[in-house]
Amino acid sequence: MTKTLQCISPIDGSVYAERAVMDPDMASALLARARQAQKAWAARPLDERVAMVNAGVARLNEMKDEVVPELAHMMGRPVRYGGEFGGMNERSSYMAEVAARGLAPIVLEDSENFDRRIERVPHGLVGVIAPWNYPYMTAMNTIVPALIAGNAVAVKHATQTLLVGERIVRAFHEAGIPEELFVNLFLDHAGTEKLIGERSFDFINFTGSVGGGRAIERAAAGTFTGLGLELGGKDPAYVMDDADIDWAVDGLMDGAMFNAGQCCCGIERIYVAERHFDSFVEKSVAWVGKLKLGNPFDAETTIGPMANRRFAAEVRSQTEDALAQGAKALVDPKNFPEDDGGTYLMPQILVDVNHQMRVMREESFGPVVGIMPVKNDAEALDLMNDCEFGLTASLWTADPDRAASLGAEIDTGTVFMNRADYLDPALCWTGCKNTGRGGALSEIGYHNLTRPKSYHLRKKQA
């Protein structure tokens, strides 16, 4: 019997899409052809590669009317938000614009005697293992610069968003990218790990869970395959005593609840200066109370179902554990009768929380946030750093110097001031601790998708 991958729609639990798992030999053959095609692709002028990748992105945009409802079916995002095209286009355009700078050689000497320079050359074949929560943006963060840099690319998408890799590859092929160069793989975990262990890839970028990252590291052990890993997060925010509270509430509640809280850099814990605590909490509860939980195809829905019953069950478990330990839930369930105990999960705000509770330590990845009062910057800093993850931290203050000083002490990849939950494509997207390693976007993103190659050319023989 042929093994299949099934996407179970969170809307109603039905099988939305199904694909056969690729035979490992078939996948290996596809990757071998991609390696062959890569040399000719890398030999093309950079401007030509950029133009062809831009055409692929444009073709994908032409599929918007199919992509948006497809996403709603697969992972539950309300159609009112129009998919991920805004962020995807911003990032793709920026990476195309800075390609020449990011890939420019470092010329040390170009004299009559010597040519000494360091060039950036493609790894060869880049594997992209993409997640379901922002399936287009996260995948394109690597696909676009990897192709522009001269690599071949193989994408393997999460089963929950089974059709995304297939669609991206089809769009790029229809725009003229060679079919052999850019391939989509339907693999289970065992097949993926087998290919990694056989050193089928020269570089792998994975976005997903800490457990998934560990599995990839184990599979790659001894192969010396380069890895870029964006794993878990438990991103904090600190609302200082000089913050604009209304602005902070609006930004942080959106950062905590958008996409049903299923954001890599979503806000999961908030620390508020004591003088503003009551006001901040009151206004946050009012903000969340205006959300509308429901079917993602309903135009009024602002928060759809979580992508999988298992994900929702974990958020409920963390919340129940916190309540059993003395936390207080402030959002009234009566305002969210659509919560069905399955994928449809009401948003929640918790107070009287502490760091002994799972909801303040472990990644929730759902629409729940804990809020604690703090006496000063020192206490807030200790709490923000009391975490195994380090993706982003959000500071809310009128004082940029204070934010910069405090931000320097936070163990994190990105420090935000007066905003949250946003990827600036000009800045390196990176993390520390159990959040992973490497970096995407910015000119540094090109450095991670290439390797340095030095030339020391003596022009005269005597």
Side-chain angles (χ1 to χ4, degrees):
M1 177 182 288
T2 302
K3 185 176 181 180
T4 64
L5 302 169
Q6 290 186 335
C7 168
I8 306 299
S9 175
I11 295 176
D12 57 10
S14 63
V15 176
Y16 177 69
E18 187 170 16
R19 293 290 185 272
V21 175
M22 281 184 175
D23 177 82
D25 291 339
M26 177 189 297
S28 292
L30 283 175
L31 296 180
R33 287 196 291 272
R35 280 190 180 281
Q36 285 187 316
Q38 184 267 329
K39 295 294 185 183
W41 173 251
R44 295 190 188 210
L46 175 60
D47 288 349
E48 185 177 319
R49 296 199 303 267
V50 169
M52 294 184 72
V53 171
N54 282 341
V57 176
R59 179 69 188 101
L60 187 56
N61 273 264
E62 292 171 356
M63 299 176 175
K64 183 176 181 179
D65 289 346
E66 300 168 72
V67 167
V68 173
E70 206 167 69
L71 277 175
H73 280 296
M74 289 189 293
M75 52 78 64
R77 185 180 301 124
V79 295
R80 66 181 291 155
Y81 298 118
E84 301 166 29
F85 287 94
M88 183 191 75
N89 291 337
E90 179 186 30
R91 299 176 195 181
S92 299
S93 296
Y94 184 82
M95 295 307 288
E97 289 169 9
V98 301
R101 290 205 307 271
L103 296 169
I106 301 172
V107 178
L108 286 308
E109 182 180 357
D110 186 11
S111 69
E112 63 179 16
N113 294 319
F114 287 98
D115 178 357
R116 296 186 298 130
R117 55 195 156 88
I118 305 166
E119 294 194 353
R120 307 297 317 183
V121 299
H123 287 302
L125 176 57
V126 171
V128 180
I129 304 177
W132 51 265
N133 64 316
Y134 281 93
Y136 282 94
M137 288 197 289
T138 52
M140 296 288 273
N141 286 352
T142 302
I143 290 169
V144 166
L147 287 171
I148 288 175
N151 294 288
V153 174
V155 59
K156 182 260 180 228
H157 230 291
T159 303
Q160 192 64 52
T161 42
L162 190 61
L163 305 182
V164 173
E166 184 178 68
R167 182 171 288 282
I168 294 173
V169 168
R170 188 181 67 164
F172 275 56
H173 289 170
E174 290 177 1
I177 297 289
E179 290 190 11
E180 297 84 2
L181 182 80
F182 183 25
V183 298
N184 178 61
L185 304 175
F186 291 116
L187 297 170
D188 57 14
H189 293 321
T192 303
E193 292 171 12
K194 181 176 186 294
L195 289 174
I196 294 171
E198 293 172 348
R199 207 185 188 286
S200 299
F201 308 96
D202 299 299
F203 184 86
I204 297 168
N205 194 85
F206 169 76
T207 304
S209 69
V210 173
R214 289 192 176 117
I216 287 171
E217 281 199 328
R218 285 193 297 268
T223 68
F224 307 114
T225 303
L227 299 178
L229 304 172
E230 184 198 328
L231 310 176
K234 191 71 181 175
D235 290 7
Y238 173 30
V239 181
M240 302 184 192
D241 49 14
D242 63 345
D244 180 326
I245 297 304
D246 290 328
W247 179 252
V249 166
D250 189 56
L252 291 175
M253 289 303 104
D254 183 64
M257 302 299 170
F258 188 76
N259 205 38
Q262 300 167 127
C263 302
C264 300
C265 56
I267 296 298
E268 297 210 359
R269 50 198 176 105
I270 302 174
Y271 309 101
V272 183
E274 284 182 332
R275 61 177 288 201
H276 291 311
F277 181 76
D278 291 341
S279 174
F280 181 88
V281 168
E282 180 182 357
K283 291 181 177 185
S284 294
V285 172
W287 193 101
V288 169
K290 295 176 183 177
L291 293 173
K292 176 69 170 69
L293 174 66
N295 188 302
F297 285 96
D298 185 337
E300 295 183 0
T301 294
T302 55
I303 182 169
M306 293 192 69
N308 190 287
R309 290 180 66 92
R310 175 167 53 88
F311 309 149
E314 172 60 19
V315 180
R316 288 190 175 95
S317 175
Q318 289 187 18
T319 302
E320 289 165 4
D321 287 352
L323 296 176
Q325 294 180 64
K328 183 178 180 182
L330 299 182
V331 179
D332 191 342
K334 293 179 182 177
N335 295 333
F336 294 92
E338 304 87 357
D339 189 325
D340 63 353
T343 55
Y344 289 86
L345 173 63
M346 65 170 281
Q348 189 56 269
I349 292 172
L350 302 175
V351 294
D352 296 339
V353 290
N354 59 57
H355 279 218
Q356 281 67 56
M357 299 173 180
R358 291 172 53 217
V359 76
M360 296 299 283
R361 296 194 327 269
E362 300 176 9
E363 185 171 37
S364 301
F365 221 63
V368 61
V369 64
I371 308 177
M372 293 176 62
V374 292
K375 293 181 173 62
N376 50 44
D377 290 359
E379 183 181 10
L381 177 62
D382 286 345
L383 290 167
M384 284 189 283
N385 281 340
D386 182 27
C387 182
E388 65 176 293
F389 303 112
L391 185 56
T392 80
S394 177
L395 306 176
W396 298 75
T397 175
D399 187 343
D401 292 335
R402 184 180 176 191
S405 177
L406 189 62
E409 301 298 319
I410 302 173
D411 300 328
T412 192
T414 296
V415 177
F416 289 112
M417 174 181 163
N418 296 331
R419 74 177 313 171
D421 193 25
Y422 169 69
L423 274 70
D424 180 342
L427 299 176
C428 184
W429 190 244
T430 186
C432 61
K433 300 192 281 191
N434 281 1
T435 288
R437 63 192 241 190
L441 301 176
S442 79
E443 292 178 34
I444 292 174
Y446 279 109
H447 296 175
N448 289 326
L449 292 167
T450 56
R451 64 177 179 86
K453 184 174 183 179
S454 295
Y455 289 84
H456 190 143
L457 308 179
R458 182 171 179 166
K459 298 179 180 178
K460 294 182 179 180
Q461 298 187 52

